[in-house]
């Protein structure tokens, strides 16, 4: 496997904190996040299946911001996906987790008092902006987020580089990328349950290849236990 497609051999601390939110918000344990050690070859084939979401943590650089500006016309505003804007400071991990869970709600199990399921049900027919406003007012999710944010979700490392979470999900046979900093999800074409992790990894490799010499990437997949 080429160096440009290798990810960190250990999960970034921010990823662990996102894991903790699953239980706090009443998501069942039938699905769990697993570390993805590489985006090609044996490392990728080792990811358990079925896999329903992939989350990528990467550095926010000028190259990335320039690339995002070129994607403005690729945003999908359709109602087939659940998308919400990131308006809470330092909340990218929480937003990525919400996107991963919301767009797989039919596959996952929830506790009877799950704050996350109630939020998703209540906001199902809202716009991305209104969902963001409701999230700002949701005490249970905000408390869980604050516990994570205090430890640092997307804060800079020593060299002042900020890191950011995004999520990839298969929605009705289409591969979507969810980034709360954008105005909607980005559609990347056809995918299938069996090929989803490979298709999502291909898009992730593009992120890595644009950052020449940068190795600070982490990826995790939401897989059935």
């Amino acid at each position: 496997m080429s160096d440009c497609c290798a990810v960190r051999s250990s999960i970034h601390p921010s990823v662990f904190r996102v894991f903790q939110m699953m239980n706090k918000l009443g998501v069942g344990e039938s699905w769990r996040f697993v570390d993805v050690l590489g985006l090609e070859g044996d490392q990728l084939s080792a990811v358990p299946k079925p896999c329903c979401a992939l989350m990528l943590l990467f550095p926010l650089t000028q190259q990335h911001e320039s690339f995002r500006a070129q994607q403005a016309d690729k945003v999908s505003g359709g109602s087939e996906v659940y998308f919400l804007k990131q308006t809470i400071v330092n909340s990218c991990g929480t937003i990525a987790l919400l996107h991963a869970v919301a767009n797989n709600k039919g596959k996952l199990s929830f506790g009877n008092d799950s704050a996350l399921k109630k939020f998703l049900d209540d906001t199902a027919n809202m716009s991305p902006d209104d969902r963001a406003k409701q999230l700002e007012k949701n005490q249970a999710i905000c408390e869980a987020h604050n516990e994570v944010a205090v430890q640092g979700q997307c804060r800079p490392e020593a060299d002042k580089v900020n890191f950011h979470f995004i999520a990839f999900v298969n929605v009705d046979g289409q591969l979507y990328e969810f980034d709360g900093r954008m105005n909607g999800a980005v559609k990347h074409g056809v995918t299938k349950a069996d090929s989803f992790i490979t298709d999502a990894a291909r898009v992730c490799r593009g992120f890595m290849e644009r950052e020449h010499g940068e190795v600070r990437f982490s990826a995790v997949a939401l897989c059935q236990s």
Side-chain angles (χ1 to χ4, degrees):
M1 184 175 63
S2 59
D3 290 343
C4 71
C5 296
V7 296
R8 287 182 170 185
S9 59
S10 59
I11 303 179
H12 189 282
S14 295
V15 180
F16 280 121
R17 294 166 191 141
V18 172
F19 295 170
Q20 296 168 5
M21 293 190 67
M22 294 276 284
N23 288 334
K24 290 179 182 293
L25 296 175
V27 181
E29 297 182 355
S30 58
W31 292 76
R32 62 186 177 87
F33 280 104
V34 300
D35 196 7
V36 178
L37 297 180
L39 297 174
E40 286 185 327
D42 293 341
Q43 287 91 344
L44 193 59
S45 62
V47 176
K49 294 182 179 179
C51 169
C52 70
L54 181 71
M55 287 174 57
L56 178 70
L57 181 72
F58 61 95
L60 288 176
T61 65
Q62 185 56 52
Q63 293 96 313
H64 173 74
E65 299 297 358
S66 298
F67 173 73
R68 277 301 193 221
Q70 301 169 16
Q71 285 189 303
D73 60 347
K74 294 187 177 181
V75 170
S76 171
S79 59
E80 69 275 11
V81 300
Y82 183 104
F83 181 85
L84 76 160
K85 293 279 289 179
Q86 179 182 334
T87 57
I88 301 173
V89 175
N90 192 33
S91 66
C92 61
T94 300
I95 299 300
L97 176 62
L98 289 174
H99 282 140
V101 172
N103 289 286
N104 285 294
K105 191 171 67 169
K107 299 183 180 75
L108 307 182
S109 61
F110 299 85
N112 293 331
D113 58 348
S114 171
L116 182 50
K117 185 173 188 303
K118 184 177 188 309
F119 172 80
L120 296 179
D121 290 343
D122 290 346
T123 60
N125 297 317
M126 292 184 182
S127 69
D129 289 326
D130 287 340
R131 288 167 180 159
K133 292 175 183 176
Q134 290 300 310
L135 181 60
E136 291 173 4
K137 298 186 292 186
N138 188 291
Q139 184 176 357
I141 297 178
C142 284
E143 286 179 355
H145 158 75
N146 287 338
E147 289 183 24
V148 173
V150 166
Q151 303 173 66
Q153 253 192 48
C154 308
R155 293 180 178 177
E157 288 197 349
D159 58 2
K160 308 301 182 184
V161 175
N162 285 289
F163 288 79
H164 188 57
F165 274 110
I166 57 175
F168 296 88
V169 184
N170 172 9
V171 182
D172 296 332
Q174 293 290 326
L175 175 62
Y176 285 93
E177 174 189 340
F178 296 87
D179 182 343
R181 298 172 74 236
M182 301 186 71
N183 292 321
V186 177
K187 185 185 291 187
H188 287 286
V190 176
T191 190
K192 298 181 296 183
D194 288 344
S195 67
F196 163 73
I197 187 67
T198 302
D199 297 334
R202 171 179 45 80
V203 180
C204 291
R205 291 198 298 270
F207 280 75
M208 303 173 80
E209 290 162 1
R210 283 188 291 274
E211 304 296 336
H212 301 292
E214 176 62 71
V215 297
R216 292 170 295 179
F217 292 85
S218 292
V220 291
L222 184 56
C223 305
Q224 193 165 29
S225 299

